[in-house]
Amino acid sequence: MNLISRYLFRQIALPVAAACGALCGIGVLSQSLNQLEVIVERGQSAWIMLKLTALATPQLLAVILPIGVLVGGLMALTRLQREQELTACFAGGVTRWRVVAPGMRLAVLVTLLSMFVSLYIQPAAQREARETAFAIRTDLASLLVQEGQFVQAGGGLTVYVQQIEQSGLIRNLFVHIQDGDKVTTWDATTARFTRIDGAPALLMGPGSMQQFSDRGVLNFLSFDEYAFDLTPFTGTEEVIAFRESDLWLAELMRPSADMLERTGSREELLAEAHARITSPLYALTAMALALAAVLGGQFRRTGYGGRVAAAAAAFLVARVAGYGVVAASAWNVWLAPLQYLIPLGVTVLALRMVFRQSSPVANVRRALGALPRPRPAGAAS
């Protein structure tokens, strides 16, 4: 790129980066609010909440990046046109393509970045998030312990906890186990979940144990510390169920029979595969519409509010139509080519609007030619 192209690239890239960063921050904030459940209801740490929020971010980028390109591109191009910098470029002999090229190069870079995230980062992050959520859902500590509530688990186990401190220390624990006619109760002043030789255990103490055997004999035991084995109560038949968004592109294109049974039909997986490829293309559509809004018409001193609104509306219609085609492709695989036709078609139409306009220099010359010429001095009136 020459000096002017590099200048235009910087002037467009900075607002686009700012818009994408702001939208990404809003998306991360919304995700963090959704993940508060793991702290409030599941008793997990703030680190787990931050981890789940970070893992959900790559999936948001497919939506955030094209919108950021549209917003940042409109801001940058409108400012450049308002301050006559684009007009100065045309007046200096710069072709229309050399003015448009920096914005489209930036859109191509964003498209490649978004496609890399969509094809590689997103499935890896989604798998990790699914495994973390599964571990939280099957976590024995979160399943057995809910502050101020009697929690019943399998094997006749009932647990009550009065208070759980931030450090994980449990205060005033009550455990009740009923196995037929045999009843055992445990109470402890403090307790903590731990692992002994890899097996989950509840380290209690000080406390006592009362056992009423099936023969009617009451046994009593007091202890300073006791490790209560939780292995008999950890059995679960649940397995991790991956969804379409968790699969790699190769798995979506050529799913196995077991994968089809667990995730969905072949048409749904193919629709997701095409959506992974076509979603980044909307960055090209966004930049093309931004260029069309500013350079696709005559210069206006009053601003470009109407054309900017029309470009935003066109992008919204195209994106919603894209989502609709993805949903329809899950039922009819022959509609999959429309996923490519919508973003690329709108991009071509927007760029056609840009290049069919005459240059601002020609407009200025025509305007000057239409002005009345001054008469020579002494001419007859």
Side-chain angles (χ1 to χ4, degrees):
M1 291 188 292
N2 57 20
L3 181 62
I4 294 178
S5 296
R6 288 197 298 269
Y7 174 77
L8 293 176
F9 185 87
R10 289 196 304 270
Q11 294 301 311
I12 299 174
L14 292 177
V16 168
C20 291
L23 292 174
C24 185
I26 295 174
V28 169
L29 179 60
S30 64
Q31 285 295 321
S32 64
L33 294 177
N34 292 334
Q35 300 299 338
L36 283 177
E37 177 187 0
V38 300
I39 294 181
V40 177
E41 298 184 4
R42 294 291 183 175
Q44 301 296 318
S45 63
W47 163 248
I48 296 297
M49 186 195 74
L50 295 176
K51 178 181 178 181
L52 291 175
T53 301
L55 292 174
T57 302
Q59 192 174 21
L60 294 175
L61 292 180
V63 180
I64 290 173
L65 290 181
I67 298 176
V69 170
L70 178 66
V71 175
L74 287 172
M75 292 173 55
L77 292 170
T78 302
R79 185 189 65 80
L80 290 172
Q81 186 74 322
R82 185 178 62 249
E83 297 179 359
Q84 303 293 325
E85 294 191 50
L86 296 180
T87 304
C89 291
F90 289 123
V94 179
T95 63
R96 184 168 289 264
W97 169 247
R98 288 178 63 184
V99 172
V100 171
M104 294 307 299
R105 288 194 185 100
L106 177 62
V108 170
L109 292 177
V110 175
T111 299
L112 295 177
L113 174 62
S114 180
M115 192 167 293
F116 175 77
V117 172
S118 179
L119 297 181
Y120 299 101
I121 304 300
Q122 174 188 328
Q126 287 294 108
R127 284 174 175 265
E128 181 66 23
R130 196 76 61 192
E131 292 174 356
T132 303
F134 178 81
I136 293 173
R137 189 170 63 253
T138 58
D139 183 20
L140 190 64
S142 61
L143 291 176
L144 291 182
V145 176
Q146 295 185 23
E147 191 173 293
Q149 298 183 22
F150 287 90
V151 179
Q152 294 182 348
L157 176 67
T158 302
V159 179
Y160 174 84
V161 172
Q162 184 180 26
Q163 182 182 2
I164 305 175
E165 296 184 355
Q166 292 292 332
S167 61
L169 182 66
I170 299 171
R171 293 193 177 277
N172 297 331
L173 169 71
F174 173 81
V175 179
H176 176 86
I177 304 176
Q178 184 168 0
D179 184 9
D181 295 332
K182 184 179 179 180
V183 178
T184 306
T185 59
W186 306 77
D187 64 88
T189 304
T190 59
R192 188 183 295 273
F193 284 97
T194 186
R195 285 187 174 271
I196 300 177
D197 296 332
L202 191 61
L203 190 61
M204 302 184 296
S208 63
M209 182 272 289
Q210 304 86 36
Q211 184 180 78
F212 189 76
S213 66
D214 51 3
R215 297 182 180 181
V217 179
L218 178 64
N219 299 320
F220 180 84
L221 172 68
S222 61
F223 54 84
D224 293 329
E225 186 177 80
Y226 187 88
F228 182 77
D229 186 16
L230 295 172
T231 304
F233 311 100
T234 58
T236 177
E237 298 181 356
E238 289 188 69
V239 294
I240 300 177
F242 290 117
R243 299 180 182 177
E244 293 87 348
S245 60
D246 309 336
L247 304 180
W248 302 99
L249 183 63
E251 295 175 328
L252 293 171
M253 300 295 290
R254 295 184 297 273
S256 61
D258 180 64
M259 193 176 300
L260 288 174
E261 182 179 355
R262 289 187 289 108
T263 56
S265 65
R266 187 180 300 273
E267 290 77 11
E268 293 176 348
L269 298 182
L270 286 176
E272 174 66 21
H274 291 297
R276 294 271 187 90
I277 301 173
T278 56
S279 292
L281 298 179
Y282 284 92
L284 298 174
T285 305
M287 182 57 71
L289 288 172
L291 290 168
V294 177
L295 299 177
Q298 302 297 329
F299 176 78
R300 293 183 180 179
R301 293 182 179 274
T302 57
Y304 302 90
R307 298 212 298 255
V308 167
F315 178 81
L316 177 62
V317 170
R319 198 64 189 94
V320 172
Y323 286 127
V325 170
V326 172
S329 300
W331 299 95
N332 189 347
V333 69
W334 297 106
L335 295 175
L338 290 178
Q339 296 190 41
Y340 300 85
L341 181 60
I342 291 175
L344 295 179
V346 175
T347 302
V348 171
L349 292 176
L351 291 178
R352 185 180 178 184
M353 291 179 58
V354 174
F355 286 102
R356 77 181 182 185
Q357 297 295 325
S358 57
S359 67
V361 175
N363 294 335
V364 171
R365 288 175 179 173
R366 283 199 299 268
L368 293 176
L371 294 175
R373 296 183 179 180
R375 295 181 178 181
S381 58

